[in-house]
Amino acid sequence: MTNQRKKLNRVSLPHSVFSADWVRQAERSAAQQAGLSLYELMERAGHAAFELARTTWPDTRHWLILCGHGNNGGDGYVVARLAAAAGLQVTLLAVEGERPLPDEAQTARQAWLASGGQIAASGSAWPENIDLIVDALLGIGLASAPRAPYDALIEAINRHHAPVIALDIPSGLDAQAGTTPGVAVKAKLTLCFVALKPGLLTGQARDCVGELHHSSLGLNDWLHKQTPLLERLDASQLSEWLKPRRPCSHKGEHGRLLVVGGDHGYAGAIRMAAEAALRSGAGMVRVLTHKQNISALLTARPELMVQELTDSSLAQGESWADVVVIGPGLGQGEWGKNALGQLAHSDKLALWDADALNMLAINPQKRQNRVLTPHPGEASRLLNCSVADIESNRLLSARKLVQRYGGTVVLKGAGTVIASEEGELSIADVGNAGMASGGMGDVLSGIIGALLAQKFTLYPAACIGCVVHGAAADIVADEQGTRGLLATDLLPVITRCVNPELQ
């Protein structure tokens, strides 16, 4: 995983995520059904933001509020009025536009002026004693890179030492895709209004959002009747998915997993995948690998069954297994190609990772009984495009992968996206920057493989596996930080995550 800061979220967030365009278009209808005007909704947004900022930074005395020429700016005018009424010093800079402000934003602006507030031009000098910045510049309607004067204001925000609270979304961050087509605000805290949008959870979001909070503005009853675009997954759901085992259960009930890989020099990859599977609850795990790896694997983890990979052992192992994981340390030589060729048309549930994916890109095939777990580089090869194309719209990329290859796809990265052939879509809101290290994907493969072996179907296994993986990394990061975090550091912690009743 790349470009991730340590996960900061410790607040309760909804699990339903809605399209940014849909939220923008549906707000009026939602307000009407709740008996509210859009201006009253704006007032609620401003109050929520003011209260959160005041609670988070109670010692701040001079707020700089930057208002754009739209309804996001209107939210800023409300915050400014409330802050001044509370006795805070407020400096408000506003970007003027060629067209009139939306009615609600104009009303908020007039209320600010009527309360004695002043509006300075966007290019005005900033006072030296600013101790909080409120970003109310662009909102969720971003369609391209911020233009002047917004770009200069965003750069000035990021250079300043004061903490930043972004209203609805950090300016410059795409609310749908999580991309930053130009400069974007690096907020300390973001308060999302009405509903979560996908761009707050994936792509470059974690570099911009900071600690994410949410306020439905009193529209919860309406939201619960709507169909979300996707689901946000987090560690709080583990207890719903993973129930305690019955006392008389035995290893045969928890699945037989075959893990294939470990070319010359890659014994570590297959060991991490196999041990992660054991730690995640697989009943029996058999490893097929190079003969030279056998003693090292058995010494490190004697609970494994380890054999040399041959045509005969692979045929026997495939017949024995409930689920097959192939790819960790596999390589793209004849040894790996032969193994993948033998398993390519197996009717067993499977997970393909690493070089299995690179070889799949060369010889595409579609299967419904398989989980694919590409990182953006592997995804670009699978879709014959650039990594930039993948990252420009991670949700669409995941859907394209499913359409071309079938089954369930886990598009790894900051805000991992999980998509199924049945149209299910989710983002795993777990994990941290420490996961940008070798071997993490091998551990994930073992976790998901073990869940498949324990009778979870493809999509649930992928979702739960991603959350277990990220939650384990978060536990480790909380204890030792993100820099220097190793994939093997997760192995002893995985058991805590797959037994959530102990938390």
Side-chain angles (χ1 to χ4, degrees):
M1 295 187 178
T2 58
N3 294 323
Q4 295 191 48
R5 299 191 302 176
K6 183 173 183 276
K7 192 76 174 99
L8 296 173
N9 293 350
R10 294 294 182 267
V11 294
S12 177
L13 293 171
H15 290 112
S16 295
V17 182
F18 294 82
S19 159
D21 288 340
W22 179 86
V23 172
R24 190 166 57 249
Q25 294 167 7
E27 274 184 334
R28 186 178 297 275
S29 172
Q32 289 175 346
Q33 291 184 42
L36 301 168
S37 67
L38 284 178
Y39 179 68
E40 288 171 318
L41 211 59
M42 183 174 286
E43 281 279 318
R44 290 187 176 189
H47 275 270
F50 170 73
E51 293 297 336
L52 180 58
R54 197 75 168 118
T55 301
T56 306
W57 297 287
D59 297 328
T60 55
R61 293 291 177 265
H62 190 169
W63 292 13
L64 174 67
I65 300 179
L66 302 170
C67 295
H69 198 71
N71 280 334
N72 195 242
D75 298 335
Y77 287 118
V78 175
V79 173
R81 192 182 79 244
L82 295 171
L88 300 172
Q89 185 178 354
V90 175
T91 297
L92 188 147
L93 275 59
V95 177
E96 304 298 341
E98 296 178 358
R99 291 180 294 182
L101 274 171
D103 291 344
E104 299 78 33
Q106 181 62 34
T107 301
R109 178 183 172 113
Q110 291 303 123
W112 163 244
L113 292 171
S115 71
Q118 296 182 341
I119 298 174
S122 61
S124 301
W126 293 12
E128 293 185 1
N129 61 339
I130 295 297
D131 50 15
L132 180 68
I133 297 173
V134 178
D135 167 26
L137 287 171
L138 289 173
I140 65 173
L142 183 75
S144 61
R147 297 186 291 270
Y150 291 99
D151 54 353
L153 288 169
I154 291 172
E155 289 173 347
I157 290 172
N158 291 338
R159 287 194 302 267
H160 204 277
H161 62 82
V164 180
I165 177 172
L167 307 190
D168 212 7
I169 192 168
S171 293
L173 179 65
D174 185 288
Q176 185 64 22
T179 54
T180 52
V183 293
V185 166
K186 303 294 191 291
K188 185 73 172 177
L189 186 153
T190 297
L191 177 59
C192 170
F193 301 132
V194 183
L196 290 182
K197 296 88 177 174
L200 292 165
L201 302 170
T202 193
Q204 299 302 305
R206 293 187 186 179
D207 276 346
C208 301
V209 170
E211 186 176 283
L212 180 59
H213 290 249
H214 167 260
S215 174
S216 70
L217 308 183
L219 299 179
N220 268 331
D221 290 344
W222 172 78
L223 275 174
H224 289 160
K225 299 174 184 176
Q226 312 305 314
T227 302
L229 172 69
L230 56 90
E231 183 179 7
R232 185 188 70 87
L233 309 174
D234 67 17
S236 71
Q237 295 164 288
L238 289 174
S239 59
E240 301 172 20
W241 300 325
L242 298 169
K243 302 299 183 183
R245 289 178 170 177
R246 66 182 185 85
C248 291
S249 62
H250 57 84
K251 65 182 180 182
E253 294 181 17
H254 306 309
R256 295 172 297 193
L257 179 65
L258 179 68
V259 186
V260 181
D263 200 352
H264 292 293
Y266 293 101
I270 200 71
R271 179 263 167 108
M272 287 185 285
E275 181 169 347
L278 287 175
R279 299 284 189 177
S280 302
M284 292 175 279
V285 178
R286 175 176 291 182
V287 176
L288 297 182
T289 186
H290 267 292
K291 184 177 182 179
Q292 67 182 36
N293 298 334
I294 294 176
S295 62
L297 265 65
L298 287 175
T299 300
R301 196 77 277 151
E303 297 87 349
L304 294 169
M305 296 176 283
V306 187
Q307 297 173 285
E308 181 184 2
L309 174 60
T310 64
D311 289 351
S312 175
S313 66
L314 185 57
Q316 292 173 1
E318 191 271 340
S319 177
W320 167 86
D322 300 312
V323 178
V324 177
V325 169
I326 184 166
L330 186 67
Q332 296 186 55
E334 288 303 314
W335 184 83
K337 288 180 180 178
N338 181 64
L340 188 64
Q342 282 191 247
L343 294 174
H345 301 288
S346 171
D347 61 358
K348 298 293 178 68
L349 291 178
L351 180 143
W352 288 28
D353 187 31
D355 281 318
L357 299 175
N358 292 325
M359 289 188 277
L360 177 62
I362 298 170
N363 296 295
Q365 57 163 240
K366 189 171 185 177
R367 283 178 56 183
Q368 283 68 47
N369 62 335
R370 178 178 60 191
V371 176
L372 305 181
T373 57
H375 58 56
E378 291 159 346
S380 72
R381 291 187 281 278
L382 287 165
L383 292 178
N384 192 28
C385 63
S386 69
V387 172
D389 290 333
I390 296 295
E391 295 289 72
S392 69
N393 193 327
R394 289 171 53 78
L395 302 181
L396 180 60
S397 296
R399 285 183 168 132
K400 286 181 176 179
L401 286 163
V402 166
Q403 184 178 17
R404 182 170 297 187
Y405 294 99
T408 289
V409 167
V410 174
L411 178 56
K412 296 181 287 194
T416 291
V417 178
I418 305 103
S420 78
E421 204 166 6
E422 290 72 33
E424 298 155 303
L425 193 64
S426 58
I427 294 176
D429 191 24
V430 289
N432 58 77
M435 301 177 79
S437 62
M440 287 292 176
D442 303 314
V443 172
L444 177 62
S445 295
I447 295 171
I448 297 176
L451 292 166
L452 290 170
Q454 293 170 80
K455 307 300 187 293
F456 287 96
T457 55
L458 296 181
Y459 182 74
C463 291
I464 299 167
C466 288
V467 173
V468 167
H469 187 236
D474 286 339
I475 291 171
V476 176
D478 284 345
E479 296 173 352
Q480 68 181 44
T482 58
R483 186 173 284 110
L485 193 156
L486 303 180
T488 51
D489 292 337
L490 272 60
L491 295 174
V493 182
I494 288 169
T495 36
R496 291 164 58 181
C497 297
V498 296
N499 292 286
E501 70 274 11
L502 301 179
Q503 300 295 323

